[in-house]
Amino acid sequence: MSARERLRQLKGECPCVLPSMLMCDFTNLEREIRRLEDAGVKGLHLDVMDGQFVPNFTYGLTIVEAVRKLTDLPLDVHLMMNRAEEYLKSFAEVGSDIMTVHVEATSDVADALGKIRGLGVASGLALNPSTSMESVTPYLDQCDLVLVMSVPAGFGGQSFHEEALTRIASLREQGGKDLLIEVDGGVNSSTISRCVTAGADLLVVGSAIFRQESYQDAIRNLEGLVQQA
Ligand code: DX5
Ligand code: ZN
């Protein structure tokens, strides 16, 4: 399946929960992916961190490639790194379906988004809570997705920033109907409904899945709240 087809498939499932693999058990990656597939997830969110743009260091191309070999689910790759532009082709080649760059870390945003689309991948633009909305609005036409960070990028397990809700609502109004709006950070059973009501399509969830005993129960509960919102 091509990245475009996977994106179409994912759009048909929105609004939906995307597990962030940051906190998964990497000693059992295949088993973790099967557990998530069995729980019915619609895609996976992969957090690439370079230890420079953000203080945390996670993984890069080899893990994205490994995940691609283990699943047909859409892969939503969140690039928290400097000079992401130089690696877009490589992240596309290892199987990314959506690639999101940070507006704060990208010198030529229009060029980066154009490159992503040129690679046949969905283009995403992320902004941190402290970054102004005006820094992303000029690029909405070139975005398939805008990622509203509801915590400062870098670590899982942080508390949700309420201002994200206003941002989601304003993007819903300003962006075209095809624009996907994603929210990431501190999304859990107390915050998820409000994100959906504000207009979010993709709800990224880390600790509220991976720190729970049963991923299946956690995902069912969150998906239930999404459907009711
Ligand atoms: C944070 C990452 C998130 C993170 C979410 O910088 O982009 O994807 O894993 O984790 P929780 O849901 O625990 O905030
Ligand atoms: Zn993320």
Side-chain angles (χ1 to χ4, degrees), residues 64-106:
V64 178
E65 186 171 30
V67 173
R68 175 78 295 153
K69 286 182 180 153
L70 291 168
T71 186
D72 279 331
L73 285 171
L75 300 184
D76 170 35
V77 178
H78 180 188
L79 297 168
M80 284 164 275
M81 57 189 285
N82 290 331
R83 301 192 293 116
E85 302 90 321
E86 294 171 31
Y87 297 91
L88 296 173
K89 188 162 181 279
S90 304
F91 276 102
E93 281 168 359
V94 294
S96 309
D97 298 303
I98 303 171
M99 294 196 291
T100 298
V101 294
H102 264 264
V103 68
E104 307 86 355
T106 307

Side-chain angles (χ1 to χ4, degrees), residues 6-24 32-33 35-37 39-47 59 67-68 71-78 96-100 122 124 144-150 156 180-188 192 195-196 200-210 215 218-224 226-227:
R6 284 206 193 86
L7 181 72
R8 207 173 313 124
Q9 177 191 309
L10 182 63
K11 276 190 168 172
E13 303 288 355
C14 286
C16 67
V17 171
L18 293 184
S20 150
M21 303 301 282
L22 190 59
M23 288 182 194
C24 82
E32 292 288 85
I33 291 174
R35 285 176 78 184
L36 296 166
E37 285 181 340
V41 301
K42 307 296 189 275
L44 301 175
H45 179 87
L46 299 174
D47 289 302
Y59 51 76
V67 173
R68 175 78 295 153
T71 186
D72 279 331
L73 285 171
L75 300 184
D76 170 35
V77 178
H78 180 188
S96 309
D97 298 303
I98 303 171
M99 294 196 291
T100 298
D144 295 303
L145 174 149
V146 175
L147 169 48
V148 176
M149 290 303 299
S150 35
L180 284 170
I181 302 175
E182 180 171 51
V183 58
D184 184 3
V187 179
N188 55 36
I192 199 163
C195 295
V196 178
D201 301 297
L202 296 169
L203 298 303
V204 177
V205 180
S207 37
I209 294 173
F210 292 97
Y215 297 173
I219 291 163
R220 276 199 190 141
N221 172 45
L222 292 163
E223 280 290 359
V226 168
Q227 298 318 319

Side-chain angles (χ1 to χ4, degrees), residues 101-225:
V101 294
H102 264 264
V103 68
E104 307 86 355
T106 307
S107 50
D108 189 340
V109 175
D111 182 63
L113 295 169
K115 274 194 183 130
I116 297 174
R117 281 186 167 173
L119 290 160
V121 173
S123 61
L125 187 59
L127 79 163
N128 270 320
S130 59
T131 303
S132 78
M133 283 284 281
E134 288 68 40
S135 64
V136 300
T137 41
Y139 306 107
L140 293 184
D141 286 351
Q142 287 159 277
C143 293
D144 295 303
L145 174 149
V146 175
L147 169 48
V148 176
M149 290 303 299
S150 35
V151 301
F155 297 93
Q158 305 181 72
S159 317
F160 186 81
H161 287 223
E162 297 289 326
E163 310 86 88
L165 297 171
T166 327
R167 293 181 159 210
I168 294 167
S170 127
L171 284 165
R172 189 75 288 158
E173 245 180 63
Q174 291 178 65
K177 64 169 174 36
D178 279 338
L179 180 71
L180 284 170
I181 302 175
E182 180 171 51
V183 58
D184 184 3
V187 179
N188 55 36
S189 55
S190 332
T191 54
I192 199 163
S193 308
R194 283 178 290 143
C195 295
V196 178
T197 309
D201 301 297
L202 296 169
L203 298 303
V204 177
V205 180
S207 37
I209 294 173
F210 292 97
R211 286 200 183 143
Q212 312 306 310
E213 216 155 278
S214 161
Y215 297 173
Q216 182 137 349
D217 289 352
I219 291 163
R220 276 199 190 141
N221 172 45
L222 292 163
E223 280 290 359
L225 293 167

